Amino acid sequence: MMSAIPTHTWRALSRGDLRRETPKGLDALWLRGMGLVRRARTGPRSFLADAQRILLLEKTFSTLSTSRFVEEASALRARFRSGRDAPNDLIRAFALVREAAWREAGVRHFPVQLAGGLAVNAGCIAEMATGEGKTLTATLPATIAGWRGRGCHIVTVNDYLATRDAQWMAPVYRACGASVAWITGESTPAERRAAYAADVTYATNKEVAADFLRDRLLLGESRTLAGALAAAPSNRARLSNLVQRGLECAIVDEADSVLIDEAVTPLIIAGNSPNPIQSRAFAEASQIASTLIAHSDFSVNFRRNEVTLTPHGLERAQIAAQELGGVWAGKRRAEELVVQALTARLLFHREKHYLIQNKTVVIVDDLTGRVMPDRTWRDGLHQAIEAKESLEIKAPKDTLARISFQRFFRLYRRLAGMTGTAAEESAELWQTYRLPVVVIPPNKPSRRKRWPDRIFATAADKWSAIADEIERLHATGRPVLIGARTVAQSERLSELLTQRGLRHDVLSALRHDREAAVIAHAGEESGITIATNMAGRGTDIRLGPGVAQRGGLHVLAAERHDSPRIDRQLFGRAGRQGDPGSAQAFVSVEDDLFAKHFRWGRLLGESPRRPACPSSRAHSGKPAPTAPNPNETVGQPSAAKQSIASSLLAITLTRLAQSDAKRLAKSSRQAVLRADNWLDDALGFAATPV
């Protein structure tokens, strides 16, 4: 079996080199087997055992005077910096960081946090439940990486978390003799250079990758800094503007979001390229698209987000193009312009995929619900949407450099991460990044109750039932957090609650500036919070006085996501750190998930004789009042219980649709991975962006 593996593949696997062709056939089987062995060797049991060894040193370090503590930190730092550290030094180092956290921040790492830190230090993805304290956990491996002297990047999902976590943990790092800094979108080049020179640097994936691309542009065609200086010594002044000192170590927070969900997102450095003729062409394409007729002139594949012109539609587009001339002279170019205009009209919707702010199209992140004002769609799509909305059409910019996040993070010499949900993607994380997933048990057993999904025939029935359920839970004093997938959905629910006189907070792309404050108060008595998608990740939700006795926070998903992993992340906001809580999803067969990924679901919703109807209608109105059951969790539905048949139908439809969505998403990531590997082979080296 081993002889069937090519020498270059075996060498790449043994050294963890990620810049190679994706294994196939026997190579893929061997790689999968290696992943199983690695996960078996890096299970939580060994890390929890080492965590107990660290706890035994608590008395040793707690009795040290300040001066002796500093001496111990300096000695350990020197040992790791010179590469002379032994396995026992890691145990002592973790114990020292734990004591520093107690002295500087008043907290000590729990055993499970120590185990998570050990897993990250070993080059794994540590899955730790929501609320288990990943911010504090990161200080353990980050301090060790910082001591080694080559820099450690802690990658977060937004500027707020990068700043908050760095400022919060800075005293801990400094007590251990490590410097810390952070980078945001507003940081100047000088500030970035100083931040990257620190032992530990907090920044978003976008900022770190963008700085990498800008540095590559400064290096030009040279492979390394030394090569650039040798090729043109006169470039020394220009090269002094480089901000990064290399990609040595990265610890990715919310690793599932960054390494999986955003894996194929291209980061592009672009330059201005004014072209009024091209801008006018987008407006003309929008006018042509408005005259075309569905089915007759074009077809839409909502599952794959594709628009295709029929022969009749192509003929009509070409006739219209002949009258325009200019860039319309090429038949292929004319078809591309019209298809892009149709795509903008049919597949991209205002207040779902984008907003209009100050007469500008601003993209909304489909995964987090956050606005991304500094990003634009490529290949003319952004301009097509501007034309659709009758806004000023800005000329597309020339691409100077680009790289996918998937390719970028594979450039780090040492990579690890943390997240609340990773087990579902363990195979892909190993295949793509060689990162085994280690599931760390919670510090306290979970008390969250998972209520059965409720299914409805129409979206209108679903939203009415959601409002009824919120009103019912609100009357019990329990706080409710509602997860909506789009801005439009959050605004629609907000109107329904306003009509019923229910005070609430809305967190969406329209109100992103209040994100942390809104989420932080979501656990207060009788609170109602509507959050678009996963906005607020990383912000702790603490229960208000008396809320635990009422059943804790209830999370209500207004729609299922394409990935069950994201559903689990949302549900994990309830019942944190052993608190009571509950979670439930309300779904309609008209939801986007079923419309795009399970056609039978749409047919079921349109059928006058569908098995889910009686149960769905039973829940569309307000439940009849009943006497409370002392054996039930406070706030748990007791009056209008869903039938077993309807619950099973909801589960079946959801699993089929999510399975299809997951298959498509993984296929897209694999296609980008193959393209990345091809670029590496074609260019002869891995670090040059294209």
Side-chain angles (χ1 to χ4, degrees):
M1 175 74 71
M2 191 174 296
S3 61
I5 302 175
T7 303
H8 73 278
T9 301
W10 170 252
R11 188 163 54 243
L13 293 176
S14 63
R15 70 171 183 264
D17 190 355
L18 300 179
R19 299 182 289 273
R20 68 196 183 293
E21 184 179 355
T22 305
K24 300 176 182 178
L26 291 176
D27 293 354
L29 289 174
W30 178 263
L31 177 62
R32 196 170 302 151
M34 285 188 63
L36 293 173
V37 172
R38 178 72 191 274
R39 287 195 289 273
R41 292 178 59 188
T42 55
R45 185 176 301 177
S46 62
F47 295 126
L48 288 169
D50 284 343
Q52 293 302 317
R53 294 175 58 198
I54 296 170
L55 293 177
L56 294 175
L57 295 175
E58 179 178 327
K59 186 175 181 180
T60 300
F61 283 95
S62 63
T63 57
L64 292 178
S65 64
T66 302
S67 59
R68 282 288 298 121
F69 185 88
V70 171
E71 290 175 5
E72 181 70 21
S74 298
L76 283 170
R77 184 174 186 269
R79 207 164 297 150
F80 279 93
R81 181 66 61 95
S82 62
R84 294 183 291 106
D85 53 290
N88 191 56
D89 291 327
L90 180 65
I91 301 298
R92 292 185 62 82
F94 270 47
L96 182 136
V97 177
R98 184 170 184 260
E99 178 62 23
W102 174 249
R103 296 188 181 193
E104 300 297 331
V107 292
R108 275 198 176 100
H109 300 76
F110 294 123
V112 293
Q113 291 175 311
L114 296 173
L118 289 165
V120 171
N121 187 74
C124 304
I125 298 287
E127 180 184 295
M128 302 175 66
T130 304
E132 289 295 300
K134 290 184 283 292
T135 301
L136 184 62
T137 299
T139 59
L140 297 161
T143 299
I144 304 302
W147 279 350
R148 296 190 186 279
R150 298 185 180 90
C152 173
H153 300 163
I154 298 185
V155 180
T156 63
V157 294
N158 60 57
D159 286 347
Y160 166 76
L161 291 178
T163 304
R164 185 204 68 178
D165 293 355
Q167 293 177 341
W168 184 16
M169 296 293 105
V172 179
Y173 290 117
R174 289 167 184 156
C176 297
S179 57
V180 61
W182 61 92
I183 293 170
T184 67
E186 298 178 354
S187 299
T188 65
E191 291 170 339
R192 292 170 186 268
R193 193 174 302 109
Y196 284 120
D199 294 321
V200 180
T201 307
Y202 284 78
T204 65
N205 54 334
K206 180 188 67 175
E207 295 301 331
V208 177
D211 287 335
F212 168 78
L213 287 183
R214 284 190 282 263
D215 281 356
R216 293 304 309 177
L217 289 172
L218 285 173
L219 288 174
E221 297 180 357
S222 301
R223 182 172 181 175
T224 63
L225 176 61
L229 291 172
S234 60
N235 289 338
R236 185 178 297 273
R238 178 171 61 87
L239 296 178
S240 66
N241 292 324
L242 296 172
V243 298
Q244 290 184 345
R245 52 173 171 152
L247 302 179
E248 171 66 18
C249 174
I251 299 173
V252 183
D253 193 13
E254 305 296 355
D256 61 324
S257 176
V258 175
L259 300 180
I260 297 295
D261 297 330
E262 295 189 58
V264 298
T265 301
L267 187 74
I268 298 174
I269 302 295
N272 292 324
S273 178
N275 190 333
I277 297 176
Q278 192 176 33
S279 299
R280 187 168 63 251
F282 288 114
E284 294 166 344
S286 183
Q287 294 174 357
I288 294 173
S290 65
T291 66
L292 300 181
I293 303 171
H295 306 301
S296 173
D297 296 329
F298 61 85
S299 60
V300 185
N301 186 331
F302 291 99
R303 181 170 172 267
R304 294 187 175 274
N305 286 333
E306 293 177 349
V307 177
T308 305
L309 289 176
T310 65
H312 182 262
L314 183 59
E315 182 181 355
R316 288 192 60 190
Q318 290 176 351
I319 291 174
Q322 290 175 358
E323 300 176 357
L324 296 171
V327 296
W328 292 93
K331 293 183 179 180
R332 180 60 181 166
R333 179 59 176 155
E335 180 182 357
E336 290 176 350
L337 285 167
V338 174
V339 167
Q340 201 69 290
L342 286 169
T343 300
R345 286 176 172 272
L346 302 170
L347 299 177
F348 288 81
H349 306 290
R350 188 169 176 173
E351 294 194 351
K352 179 179 181 181
H353 301 103
Y354 63 91
L355 303 174
I356 304 297
Q357 295 182 344
N358 299 322
K359 298 182 179 181
T360 301
V361 173
V362 180
I363 298 175
V364 175
D365 189 336
D366 187 51
L367 298 170
T368 65
R370 297 186 179 99
V371 292
M372 301 186 291
D374 54 347
R375 291 192 186 181
T376 59
W377 284 295
R378 58 193 177 118
D379 299 330
L381 177 59
H382 206 88
Q383 288 69 30
I385 292 176
E386 289 173 335
K388 180 185 80 169
E389 296 290 348
S390 300
L391 300 172
E392 177 188 356
I393 302 174
K394 301 178 178 63
K397 296 183 177 181
D398 286 339
T399 298
L400 303 178
R402 60 179 291 174
I403 194 170
S404 69
F405 286 120
Q406 183 171 252
R407 185 174 180 228
F408 171 72
F409 282 104
R410 283 154 48 94
L411 298 176
Y412 276 93
R413 184 171 176 270
R414 299 178 62 235
L415 182 64
M418 307 175 297
T419 185
T421 48
E424 294 90 340
E425 310 295 346
S426 58
E428 185 173 350
L429 285 167
W430 171 256
Q431 180 186 28
T432 305
Y433 303 99
R434 303 299 181 269
L435 294 175
V437 174
V438 179
V439 180
I440 305 297
N443 183 49
K444 297 179 181 179
S446 175
R447 297 167 60 191
R448 180 174 60 251
K449 297 184 181 299
R450 180 70 175 85
W451 296 350
D453 288 8
R454 291 171 60 178
I455 186 169
F456 302 88
T458 67
D461 287 345
K462 182 188 73 171
W463 288 110
S464 177
I466 288 175
D468 289 342
E469 183 72 354
I470 293 170
E471 188 172 9
R472 187 184 69 79
L473 290 168
H474 178 73
T476 70
R478 291 191 63 184
V480 185
L481 174 64
I482 305 96
R485 287 198 61 173
T486 67
V487 175
Q489 287 182 357
S490 66
E491 296 299 315
R492 178 179 182 179
L493 181 57
S494 178
E495 291 177 2
L496 288 175
L497 297 182
T498 300
Q499 292 170 5
R500 297 176 182 231
L502 297 174
R503 295 183 59 184
H504 57 280
D505 281 316
V506 180
L507 178 58
S508 70
L510 296 172
R511 302 175 175 86
H512 65 282
D513 54 323
R514 300 175 56 227
E515 179 174 323
V518 170
I519 288 294
H521 293 88
E524 295 181 353
E525 181 182 350
S526 299
I528 301 175
T529 308
I530 304 171
T532 302
N533 234 323
M534 288 310 298
R537 280 179 75 164
T539 303
D540 197 18
I541 301 178
R542 299 184 183 275
L543 300 183
V547 170
Q549 290 72 24
R550 292 179 170 85
L553 175 69
H554 178 71
V555 172
L556 193 159
E559 186 174 339
R560 284 286 201 162
H561 294 81
D562 288 356
S563 170
R565 173 174 45 81
I566 301 179
D567 288 332
R568 189 157 68 94
Q569 183 74 247
L570 175 61
F571 294 151
R573 307 203 71 118
R576 297 155 67 102
Q577 279 288 345
D579 288 337
S582 55
Q584 188 176 30
F586 281 48
V587 298
S588 158
V589 291
E590 294 180 347
D591 289 348
D592 283 351
L593 175 65
F594 303 126
K596 292 175 63 176
H597 300 287
F598 189 52
R599 296 180 182 177
W600 292 352
R602 293 182 69 193
L603 294 175
L604 181 63
E606 295 165 359
S607 172
R609 294 182 181 178
R610 44 193 179 270
C613 273
S615 173
S616 298
R617 282 196 295 266
H619 288 287
S620 61
K622 294 184 179 180
T626 59
N629 183 346
N631 296 321
E632 283 186 327
T633 301
V634 178
Q636 181 175 345
S638 58
K641 301 232 181 203
Q642 181 151 327
S643 70
I644 295 177
S646 183
S647 297
L648 290 175
L649 179 63
I651 293 171
T652 302
L653 289 177
T654 300
R655 286 182 176 175
L656 287 171
Q658 288 182 329
S659 177
D660 184 63
K662 183 177 179 179
R663 217 168 20 244
L664 285 174
K666 185 175 181 179
S667 175
S668 175
R669 291 191 293 270
Q670 288 178 334
V672 172
L673 181 61
R674 287 192 294 270
D676 289 343
N677 290 328
W678 178 86
L679 284 173
D680 294 340
D681 292 340
L683 294 173
F685 53 95
T688 297
V690 174

